[in-house]
Amino acid sequence: MQQRKDEQEATAAKTTLRLLEKTVKDMLVDQGRLVEVPYTATLGDTMNALVANKVVALPVAAPPGQWIGAGGSMILESDKQTGAVRKHYIGMVTMLDIVAYIADDDGSNDQTTDVANLEKKMMVPVSSIIGRSFEGLSLWTLNPNTNILDCMELFSKGIHRALVPMDSQMENIQGVELVESASSYKMLTQMDLLKFLKDHASELGEILSSSIKEIGCLNQNVYAITDRTKVIDAIKCLRTALLNAVPIVESSNDFEEDHLQLVDGEGRKPIGTFSATDLRGCHLSALQTWLPLRALEFTELVSRSPLFASKEGVSAPKEMVSCQPQAALAEVIEKIVSKHVHRVWVVDEQGLLAGLVSLTDIVGALRVSMLSKIDVM
């Protein structure tokens, strides 16, 4: 019996080993050209570009020799024939950067002032807001020959995306770099990686049948806003905690709580999700009107927006994606990919919050499990 078990484990390890031979290049087969914005683009123009391309982040390009790249990076695009530098990618702007800038004020709680300043803020150049979120402080590249484990290591540390040089002039380099020169780039994200792993589920074997609790990707620290929190205050909460999304929980009648601040979500009843991504589809006039609304009401309005309509063109109430601690990892990955969300709220049998599972959590847990399979050989 033990011999048979050992043989099965060795076979599973060999299957996983085939997956480990894959590289970043393999994950980019279906990727289109890189979408970017110039450093002179206004914040309003940038949000329009995010909407048009259905993304939550864009690299910012500037003329060479005039800027220091985020985190001291030097990511250049150069002519394939002559090697002459055409542009310098100075950073990545994300929805959280934009949210952080919108929420930034002089400490006043005057919501009239917030709305009045919004139009002015939308006219600033995008280059002026890079680095307001933690991820925006650096700009990363991944060599196309980087193996899948090294790619997973980067994404398990909370980095959500990296540029990939398609014809790097840096020879014999694998892994993460802050200095790069190439004639073209593509973008690889955590979601791209997770979709690739889902497509190769048979090579991951029994790892995917483990529960999220067993495999160690359940994060029990979950912060929330209440159903009385207004949009402008919810935005400020995201900025303060550097979060991309929070659950909306039912407010309590048993005790007094501050609806301007984040609350401990554990054991609370979730009734919705407020996400920085939802703001991406808001036209300026709509956002000015919606800032004073309660965040829960805002999410209901967003769900009826044509930008969030289903394939049949019918808008439906926005679904709160959740699972239980016993859910198999395969089930959670399927929900993330099919619903295109970046986290799943974890609830107990009573439907009360018990934590969350993020893409970072999943990638980290999968990497550890894959490494343990290699040790079997």
Side-chain angles (χ1 to χ4, degrees):
M1 291 290 290
Q2 183 61 44
Q3 182 180 356
R4 184 178 179 184
K5 182 179 179 182
D6 291 343
E7 290 174 350
Q8 290 175 336
E9 289 180 348
T11 300
K14 289 178 181 178
T15 303
T16 302
L17 195 58
R18 288 199 297 270
L19 177 60
L20 299 184
E21 293 172 353
K22 303 294 185 181
T23 65
V24 165
K25 189 185 300 181
D26 297 314
M27 300 180 223
L28 293 170
V29 173
D30 298 324
Q31 287 279 32
R33 60 181 291 274
L34 182 68
V35 181
E36 62 189 54
V37 290
Y39 74 110
T40 53
T42 66
L43 212 54
D45 291 337
T46 303
M47 288 189 72
N48 288 337
L50 290 168
V51 172
N53 294 282
K54 298 182 179 179
V55 294
V56 294
L58 289 168
V60 180
Q66 299 182 18
W67 294 80
I68 297 175
S73 61
M74 185 64 70
I75 314 300
L76 307 174
E77 181 183 290
S78 54
D79 185 271
K80 193 171 186 176
Q81 302 300 324
T82 66
V85 178
R86 292 190 296 240
K87 64 181 70 169
H88 178 193
Y89 291 108
I90 59 174
M92 191 80 68
V93 61
T94 70
M95 273 307 303
L96 190 55
D97 289 312
I98 295 174
V99 166
Y101 180 71
I102 290 174
D104 197 12
D105 58 22
D106 57 4
S108 170
N109 288 322
D110 184 354
Q111 289 172 357
T112 303
T113 303
D114 287 322
V115 174
N117 285 340
L118 184 58
E119 187 170 0
K120 182 179 178 181
K121 287 185 174 184
M122 287 297 177
M123 293 303 295
V124 303
V126 66
S127 55
S128 66
I129 71 159
I130 294 173
R132 287 178 176 264
S133 65
F134 174 76
E135 188 174 0
L137 294 174
S138 297
L139 183 62
W140 304 94
T141 69
L142 272 172
N143 189 279
N145 297 317
T146 303
N147 67 59
I148 194 168
L149 275 180
D150 287 344
C151 174
M152 293 175 75
E153 182 180 16
L154 175 69
F155 286 154
S156 69
K157 294 178 178 177
I159 303 301
H160 297 152
R161 55 192 61 83
L163 294 179
V164 180
M166 299 315 295
D167 53 353
S168 174
Q169 297 179 21
M170 313 292 287
E171 295 183 359
N172 301 319
I173 290 179
Q174 293 188 34
V176 182
E177 290 295 322
L178 292 176
V179 177
E180 185 57 81
S181 180
S183 64
S184 65
Y185 292 83
K186 290 188 177 182
M187 180 104 76
L188 184 72
T189 68
Q190 284 182 325
M191 184 66 79
D192 296 326
L193 171 62
L194 211 58
K195 287 179 179 177
F196 184 82
L197 292 172
K198 177 180 177 292
D199 291 340
H200 291 77
S202 60
E203 296 169 59
L204 288 169
E206 62 184 20
I207 295 175
L208 294 179
S209 61
S210 303
S211 74
I212 56 172
K213 188 174 183 179
E214 290 172 339
I215 203 170
C217 58
L218 169 57
N219 185 342
Q220 294 179 305
N221 297 317
V222 55
Y223 296 98
I225 59 173
T226 76
D227 54 15
R228 299 182 188 177
T229 304
K230 295 183 178 180
V231 172
I232 184 62
D233 298 315
I235 290 174
K236 291 176 181 178
C237 287
L238 293 181
R239 173 184 180 269
T240 301
L242 295 179
L243 297 172
N244 285 292
V246 287
I248 304 172
V249 298
E250 291 181 346
S251 53
S252 174
N253 295 321
D254 297 333
F255 56 89
E256 191 72 25
E257 57 188 348
D258 189 351
H259 304 293
L260 303 179
Q261 305 292 332
L262 289 172
V263 299
D264 185 355
E266 187 176 3
R268 304 288 290 270
K269 178 71 173 179
I271 53 177
T273 299
F274 181 80
S275 170
T277 307
D278 293 340
L279 296 165
R280 177 185 61 189
C282 298
H283 295 293
L284 178 60
S285 57
L287 192 54
Q288 287 174 325
T289 304
W290 291 352
L291 282 177
L293 299 181
R294 291 184 179 183
L296 183 61
E297 186 179 359
F298 165 78
T299 62
E300 293 168 350
L301 288 169
V302 164
S303 71
R304 295 196 290 270
S305 166
L307 291 166
F308 294 86
S310 65
K311 291 181 180 179
E312 291 74 25
V314 178
S315 297
K318 191 176 178 186
E319 179 184 353
M320 190 188 71
V321 183
S322 64
C323 70
Q324 292 194 348
Q326 296 76 28
L329 184 57
E331 175 191 337
V332 176
I333 291 176
E334 173 61 33
K335 287 186 176 185
I336 285 175
V337 172
S338 63
K339 305 295 183 182
H340 205 80
V341 295
H342 292 81
R343 84 268 326 139
V344 173
W345 309 120
V346 181
V347 296
D348 60 21
E349 294 179 354
Q350 285 75 45
L352 304 179
L353 276 171
L356 65 97
V357 179
S358 70
L359 271 65
T360 299
D361 298 324
I362 292 175
V363 171
L366 275 174
R367 184 175 183 275
V368 171
S369 296
M370 291 164 71
L371 284 170
S372 66
K373 276 187 172 292
I374 297 175
D375 293 339
V376 174
M377 298 187 66

